Amino acid sequence: MMTKTTTKIGFQHVGSFLRPDVLKQARKDLANGTIDQSELTDIEDESIRDLVSKEKNAGLDYVTDGEFRRSYWHLDFFWGFEGIDHIHYGKGYNFAHEETRDDTAILSGKIKFNANTHPFIKHFQFLKSVTDDLGGVIPKQTIPAPAQLYIELVRGTNADKIKEFYDTDEDLYKDIKKAYHDAILAFYDEGARVIQLDDCSWGLFLDAGFLATPDGKAYANSGIQDILLDLNNGAIEDLPDDLTINTHICRGNYHSDFAFAGGYGPVADTVFAKENVDTYFLEYDSTRAGNFEPLAKVSGDKRVVLGLITTKSGDLEDRQVIIDRIKEASQYLPLDRLWLSTQCGFASTEEGNVLTEQQEWDKLALVKSIQEEVWG
């Protein structure tokens, strides 16, 4: 399927930024009962206004709210759906060097989207109001992909809940796609014209260590790649022509740690060839991401943003090394369909990665200057 390319990629960041100290303290104060939710919201609002101003001053064309109102890049969005509860799993996600907090999303009924109760709609309304006031920048909404929700719902004992509410797997898939489609249209109605689906689900198919285990072998042979593709494509079909849907694919980003390793080869024939997005934001900041050869599978006129600048460290990359890697990638996809960004956000969870606020802005300045040199 040929995709529609409706916008210039422009200078944009994947999504999240380090939470400022005042916001971190406010969250602690809320937990301790020394402030209420309205006071926290006021602090969030002011922090987001300040961030968007900084994003504009840094030259960004598309801006986010830094995901400042979230604890996690994905779970907070899931919890906003009707039919999904927030519980503690008893075990976090296992990253390479540490374990995360143990929150999860679990079914408590049929999945539905309600624009009046899902908090992200009001979050976007506020971001849009800020960008309208500033002018010259476009708000970008980031949400976890439908595939990522499915992966969470079938995680370990979470899967036991599915049969309580769904007679068939197909009924579950249908509700996930509809809930997402309704959510995306609600964002559109509020003025969103660029929506990014963040998706770590494909990382499970890339990691040789995981795939060598009995669970990994069963997973790889389960046909689940086709399920994930259908969920993502089903959610984004029949959308307005002036709405751009991008995706960001990485291997985990928690406190500067990673979850998976391996090149994109095992999923290229599925996600690169068949997922109907406009642009892929791809992690390419380390040897864990493999080589650029899978980019040859990117179909139609879809584009790729090379995440060559890491957010896991404050050390600045060698400029010429990055330029040389862009040229290497252009052997598989033409340069006019390539672009540059960081490999992920700076704070996929509220903990944030191990670098300073000044270092995150230095990273973005490097991205912008290389974009200008390579693409003009």
Side-chain angles (χ1 to χ4, degrees):
M1 174 179 175
M2 295 293 286
T3 60
K4 61 183 191 305
T5 300
T6 59
T7 64
K8 294 182 179 179
I9 300 174
F11 179 29
Q12 56 181 294
H13 174 53
V14 169
S16 63
F17 284 83
L18 295 172
R19 278 45 162 190
D21 290 339
V22 64
L23 182 53
K24 291 180 179 179
Q25 184 60 51
R27 290 198 176 282
K28 292 178 183 177
D29 292 342
L30 180 70
N32 293 333
T34 55
I35 65 170
D36 61 21
Q37 180 59 53
S38 66
E39 290 172 297
L40 172 61
T41 299
D42 289 343
I43 294 170
E44 289 172 339
D45 289 352
E46 189 57 37
S47 297
I48 289 167
R49 287 191 191 95
D50 181 61
L51 172 68
V52 173
S53 178
K54 289 178 178 176
E55 289 179 88
K56 181 179 179 179
N57 290 339
L60 287 155
D61 299 302
Y62 297 87
V63 300
T64 73
D65 65 3
E67 302 177 7
F68 278 4
R69 302 189 201 270
R70 309 185 206 182
S71 180
Y72 294 87
W73 63 277
H74 58 327
L75 294 176
D76 297 68
F77 183 76
F78 301 157
W79 296 328
F81 285 125
E82 294 181 2
I84 293 181
D85 273 358
H86 175 187
I87 68 165
H88 292 278
Y89 190 77
K91 180 178 176 56
Y93 307 110
N94 287 320
F95 275 62
H97 305 99
E98 60 183 302
E99 184 179 316
T100 71
R101 288 173 285 132
D102 71 340
D103 304 89
T104 189
I106 191 169
L107 280 180
S108 60
K110 297 275 191 179
I111 300 172
K112 295 179 181 178
F113 170 78
N114 184 334
N116 295 319
T117 58
H118 199 298
F120 277 47
I121 300 304
K122 288 185 178 179
H123 297 173
F124 181 78
Q125 289 172 343
F126 180 79
L127 175 62
K128 182 70 163 56
S129 73
V130 174
T131 59
D132 285 349
D133 288 343
L134 277 178
V137 289
I138 299 170
K140 178 174 79 167
Q141 179 63 45
T142 64
I143 58 175
Q148 195 72 48
L149 172 58
Y150 179 72
I151 291 296
E152 194 68 28
L153 294 180
V154 299
R155 177 187 173 197
T157 56
N158 286 359
D160 298 339
K161 280 285 187 178
I162 293 175
K163 295 192 183 303
E164 291 186 26
F165 305 105
Y166 288 98
D167 294 330
T168 67
D169 290 339
E170 287 69 25
D171 289 338
L172 172 63
Y173 306 153
K174 180 179 178 181
D175 276 3
I176 291 175
K177 287 185 280 190
K178 184 179 188 324
Y180 262 88
H181 193 266
D182 290 347
I184 290 169
L185 287 178
F187 285 123
Y188 180 84
D189 288 342
E190 296 298 337
R193 293 299 180 267
V194 176
I195 294 176
Q196 177 181 294
L197 304 177
D198 294 325
D199 201 346
C200 289
S201 64
W202 303 104
L204 291 162
F205 303 98
L206 310 181
D207 195 291
F210 171 71
L211 295 175
T213 66
D215 287 345
K217 290 177 182 178
Y219 194 83
N221 296 324
S222 66
I224 196 171
Q225 279 199 43
D226 292 333
I227 295 171
L228 301 181
L229 178 68
D230 177 65
L231 289 170
N232 288 348
N233 279 346
I236 61 176
E237 65 183 6
D238 298 324
L239 291 173
D241 287 341
D242 61 340
L243 176 61
T244 296
I245 302 291
N246 300 327
T247 190
H248 165 63
I249 300 172
C250 82
R251 293 159 181 76
N253 187 53
Y254 175 79
H255 202 216
S256 291
D257 203 1
F258 66 92
F260 307 113
Y264 292 101
V267 301
D269 286 323
T270 302
V271 69
F272 289 172
K274 300 176 183 177
E275 191 171 34
N276 297 325
V277 295
D278 291 275
T279 303
Y280 301 92
F281 285 71
L282 300 180
E283 175 182 323
Y284 264 118
D285 65 322
S286 74
T287 56
R288 288 186 296 101
N291 59 37
F292 296 119
E293 187 173 352
L295 297 182
K297 299 291 182 70
V298 175
S299 60
D301 59 357
K302 294 181 290 188
R303 305 167 297 185
V304 167
V305 179
L306 301 169
L308 294 168
I309 306 295
T310 192
T311 63
K312 297 183 186 296
S313 163
D315 296 336
L316 283 178
E317 285 79 358
D318 183 285
R319 181 186 191 85
Q320 191 58 48
V321 169
I322 299 302
I323 292 172
D324 289 345
R325 294 198 70 199
I326 294 169
K327 291 178 180 177
E328 182 183 352
S330 70
Q331 298 175 31
Y332 302 97
L333 204 66
L335 189 62
D336 62 5
R337 289 171 60 196
L338 294 174
W339 198 242
L340 178 67
S341 77
T342 58
Q343 120 279 350
C344 197
F346 292 104
S348 298
T349 67
E350 61 184 299
E351 286 83 356
N353 285 346
V354 184
L355 73 167
T356 67
E357 289 189 30
Q358 183 58 54
Q359 286 173 323
E360 70 180 352
W361 295 111
D362 290 344
K363 289 275 183 174
L364 291 174
L366 178 62
V367 170
K368 180 174 174 57
S369 66
I370 294 175
Q371 287 174 353
E372 290 171 346
E373 178 174 345
V374 174
W375 287 276

